[in-house]
Amino acid sequence: MIEVHPGLFVGPQAEYEARVRHESGWTVVQAMREPYHREAVGYTTPMPPEDHPEYWIARRENRLCLNLIDAPNPADIPAAAMDAAVAFIREHRMAGGHVFLHCQMGMSRSPGIAMLYLGTHTDRLSASSFDAALRSFYDVYPLFSPRPGILGFLRERWESGLLRRASRV
């Protein structure tokens, strides 16, 4: 588990299961379909029904469970889930809480969301270009090994100008 910004931690599922799950005071973003989104929504099929209101995002008390896989194509990364995760992190950081963000290995999806949060709500990453921001993020989270879909999604966000520096938390 690495603290990438005060109160914001990123790591693997194993760290959640071994430590965070059993400690009080944590808010958690679970950036993976299996098993957390499936358990939260309660589907037994490979995917939830397409018309389910929690198809991408299920909020449960102090957890946000995302129907997110490490897709190879950026078009298959749901912007709604990524944006909901950033908003959830901001909400809980504004309240002073500690947030743990995880996916299975803590190498692609969860650090990708953390990079998106840092690029939107902090001055921690370089604003000059995506490549400069990526280099800055590797300094913060050296374990980042984004799959092509996550990397492409982040690049598109940076280059499209959709990242607006919001209030800093």
Side-chain angles (χ1 to χ4, degrees):
M1 172 180 346
I2 296 174
E3 189 171 21
V4 297
H5 192 67
L8 178 59
F9 300 80
V10 178
Q13 176 183 6
E15 187 75 23
Y16 169 74
E17 292 293 341
R19 179 177 169 205
V20 174
R21 181 179 208 151
H22 307 289
E23 294 181 7
S24 63
W26 285 98
T27 298
V28 179
V29 176
Q30 297 174 311
M32 52 192 292
R33 178 187 307 148
E34 293 291 341
Y36 308 104
H37 184 266
R38 178 187 300 277
E39 290 172 355
V41 176
Y43 52 96
T44 57
T45 56
M47 295 285 290
E50 287 184 22
D51 62 346
H52 195 285
E54 294 181 311
Y55 185 86
W56 294 117
I57 305 145
R59 187 172 180 154
R60 300 291 185 270
E61 299 172 12
N62 67 334
R63 294 184 309 136
L64 189 71
C65 309
L66 304 177
N67 179 3
L68 188 60
I69 62 167
D70 226 339
N73 185 339
D76 294 330
I77 304 297
M82 300 293 275
D83 294 341
V86 169
F88 186 80
I89 293 165
R90 182 171 187 266
E91 172 189 337
H92 289 279
R93 287 300 309 124
M94 297 267 310
H98 286 83
V99 178
F100 181 63
L101 178 55
H102 81 86
C103 54
Q104 184 178 8
M105 302 300 294
M107 296 175 69
S108 183
R109 290 167 284 181
S110 57
I113 292 168
M115 184 177 172
L116 196 58
Y117 174 82
L118 294 178
T120 305
H121 294 290
T122 76
D123 291 323
R124 190 98 192 236
L125 304 181
S126 174
S128 63
S129 70
F130 175 72
D131 290 330
L134 185 60
R135 285 190 299 273
S136 298
F137 188 68
Y138 279 120
D139 291 340
V140 174
Y141 196 80
L143 303 176
F144 192 35
S145 181
R147 298 281 310 248
I150 294 293
L151 185 63
F153 179 89
L154 293 171
R155 182 177 298 281
E156 288 172 9
R157 276 293 173 95
W158 249 266
E159 292 175 355
S160 70
L162 289 176
L163 289 181
R164 284 181 234 115
R165 297 287 175 148
S167 62
R168 310 298 189 245
V169 179

